[in-house]
Amino acid sequence: MSWQTYVDSNLLGTGKIAKAAILGLQGGVWAASTGYTLAPEEQNAAINAFKSPDEALANGIRAAGQKFFTLQATDRSVYGKKAADGIVLVKTKQAVLVAEYTAPIQAGEATPIVEGLADYLIGVGY
C-alpha cells in the first residue's frame, strides 16, 4: 500500500480526520492530504517534539501555519488543541503521523484512529 493510501483511506477516509501527513523521521513528507503543506521548520519541529517533549509542551506545535497549544507530549505521542480543533502526532519506527481534526469531532474520536494506524505501522516495521 502506498503512503498516500494510508493518509487518504486510513485517516481522512474515517471522516474523523480533516487533514493529515506522514513525515519521515529522516526528513521529508511521505504523503499528505491535498493542500496540507507543512513548512520545513514545522516538519523538523514535529519530529523533534518526540526528542524534547518538554519543549513541545512549552512552545506548542505548528502545522500548516497554525499554532496548537500542546496538551500532552511523550516520546510516542503529542496532542494539541486550537480552540475546538486539535492535532495528533504519533511517532512510529520510521515516521511521524500528523493528523488534524476539526469540531465537532473530539479528541476521543480522532486520537484512536491515529494511534491505531501507528500501532499497525510499528507492527510491520515502519
Side-chain angles (χ1 to χ4, degrees):
M1 192 176 329
S2 78
W3 293 110
Q4 192 62 48
T5 302
Y6 287 118
V7 168
D8 295 341
S9 300
N10 298 69
L11 296 173
L12 302 178
T14 65
K16 306 291 183 189
I17 304 298
K19 305 173 210 171
I22 300 175
L23 309 176
L25 282 179
Q26 303 303 315
V29 177
W30 292 359
S33 52
T34 304
Y36 192 53
T37 304
L38 300 176
E41 57 272 10
E42 292 173 336
Q43 295 172 38
N44 291 335
I47 292 165
N48 290 331
F50 301 97
K51 297 175 191 166
S52 305
D54 289 341
E55 192 172 311
L57 283 168
N59 300 322
I61 291 290
R62 288 192 171 276
Q66 302 295 311
K67 184 173 182 180
F68 294 84
F69 174 76
T70 305
L71 300 172
Q72 178 181 327
T74 67
D75 60 358
R76 175 188 158 100
S77 304
V78 177
Y79 305 142
K81 202 84 165 129
K82 181 182 182 198
D85 302 337
I87 191 165
V88 178
L89 291 80
V90 185
K91 182 179 142 208
T92 68
K93 292 178 181 176
Q94 297 182 40
V96 173
L97 307 181
V98 180
E100 288 187 38
Y101 59 91
T102 55
I105 303 302
Q106 297 293 310
E109 298 172 272
T111 302
I113 292 164
V114 186
E115 292 278 1
L117 178 56
D119 287 342
Y120 169 76
L121 292 173
I122 290 167
V124 295
Y126 286 101

